[in-house]
Amino acid sequence: MPDQTIAQALLLGVLEGLTEFIPVSSTGHILLAGHFLGFKSTGKAFEVLIQLGAILAILSVYAARLWEMLLLLPRDPATRRFVAGILLAFLPAVVIGVLSYKIIKTVLFETPMLICVMLILGGLVLLWVDRWARKPRYTDITTFPLSMYLKIGLFQCLSMIPGTSRSGATIVGGLLLGADKRSAAEFSFFLAMPTMAGAFAYDLYKNYDLLSAADVEIIGVGFVAAFAAGVLVVRWLLGYVSRHGYALFGWWRLLIGSLGLAALLFWG
């Protein structure tokens, strides 16, 4: 395999880890970077499968809390309610993701112009929501109403349009429904676990027969890079948004979306 391809996989893996848990659209960044780098992956599987690294990153950071929840699950009603809330939020993505898988991978993933537009629109929404003066009603992710979990899950489905951002959609949904900035981000972390694991498993199932040894090698490189970068971001993000909010990410989306549009219009 050419060293250039390995270097591209490494770069895209780092990009995945850095952007997966912040509301800027990791998939949008990877698809745009891959477009301009000339990076090709079988069935666009690389862009989805390297998310396993990000999944393991968040699992490693939250390992102690997840283990505690597992021990409490049989006897603690509050823990069972929170797990039920995560499953409720996850459900819409299962249904819509399976039904729209083909159009997502063959049409939306192949439309860089759409990604840039969604980055810009999402940036404007994020800036507006971040400045929206509303006193939060919920600061603890384990006490959201069950209906709120489901509604956040519906917001998450917007992220099936690349450039929207899975974390961005869930965070905006949480903020609009009354969560404070920290809890909106933290619930996005928990919802990422089943959502990303499900996307990984389904994409692997759909593309397993198409993947070669070379594909496995570059996916492995991207996975390791995504894991390392993801751990750093997860450890940093909650403290940052508690103090500073989401404006930085909104401006970043506007910058990348605008640069991407300019590059597509002038260079293709």
Side-chain angles (χ1 to χ4, degrees), residues 5-264:
T5 304
I6 294 295
Q8 290 174 344
L10 181 63
L11 173 64
L12 294 175
V14 170
L15 192 59
E16 159 66 24
L18 292 177
T19 57
E20 179 60 52
F21 301 110
I22 62 177
V24 299
S25 181
S26 62
T27 303
H29 277 67
I30 291 170
L31 290 172
L32 281 180
H35 174 80
F36 290 114
L37 289 171
F39 179 83
K40 303 292 183 182
S41 69
T42 303
K44 292 292 183 184
F46 174 89
E47 290 80 355
V48 175
L49 296 183
I50 62 169
Q51 290 182 351
L52 178 62
I55 298 169
L56 294 182
I58 199 167
L59 288 175
S60 69
V61 173
Y62 277 86
R65 186 166 178 183
L66 292 170
W67 179 249
E68 181 184 16
M69 287 173 57
L70 183 63
L71 294 177
L72 288 173
L73 191 61
R75 63 180 187 274
D76 181 38
T79 301
R80 289 198 297 271
R81 182 182 178 281
F82 179 53
V83 171
I86 294 172
L87 294 177
L88 268 176
F90 172 51
L91 184 61
V94 175
V95 176
I96 297 177
V98 170
L99 292 177
S100 58
Y101 176 83
K102 186 174 181 180
I103 191 170
I104 292 171
K105 293 298 289 291
T106 61
V107 178
L108 300 183
F109 270 38
E110 301 287 351
T111 314
M113 191 72 72
L114 172 65
I115 295 170
C116 294
V117 170
M118 294 309 298
L119 282 170
I120 293 170
L121 292 178
L124 293 173
V125 170
L126 198 59
L127 288 170
W128 172 71
V129 171
D130 188 63
R131 296 176 182 178
W132 187 36
R134 182 179 182 183
K135 185 177 181 179
R137 288 177 290 161
Y138 309 105
T139 59
D140 183 349
I141 60 173
T142 65
T143 61
F144 290 176
L146 289 177
S147 61
M148 181 172 169
Y149 292 121
L150 180 60
K151 290 173 184 176
I152 292 174
L154 291 171
F155 271 95
Q156 179 177 243
C157 292
L158 296 173
S159 68
M160 293 179 191
I161 304 172
T164 302
S165 171
R166 187 206 58 78
S167 60
T170 55
I171 286 169
V172 167
L175 293 173
L176 290 175
L177 293 168
D180 72 338
K181 292 176 180 179
R182 182 185 178 92
S183 64
E186 189 172 23
F187 185 69
S188 177
F189 288 170
F190 275 90
L191 184 53
M193 298 180 205
T195 302
M196 293 166 61
F200 172 87
Y202 191 69
D203 203 85
L204 183 61
Y205 163 74
K206 297 292 284 187
N207 288 287
Y208 179 79
D209 293 337
L210 303 176
L211 299 177
S212 65
D215 293 316
V216 173
E217 183 180 352
I218 64 169
I219 289 169
V221 170
F223 153 77
V224 172
F227 171 79
V231 168
L232 295 175
V233 171
V234 171
R235 292 186 181 278
W236 162 80
L237 184 62
L238 292 182
Y240 177 85
V241 299
S242 296
R243 296 188 301 270
H244 305 291
Y246 296 99
L248 173 65
F249 309 118
W251 289 114
W252 177 258
R253 293 179 64 109
L254 292 178
L255 174 64
I256 297 300
S258 299
L259 290 175
L261 273 181
L264 288 169

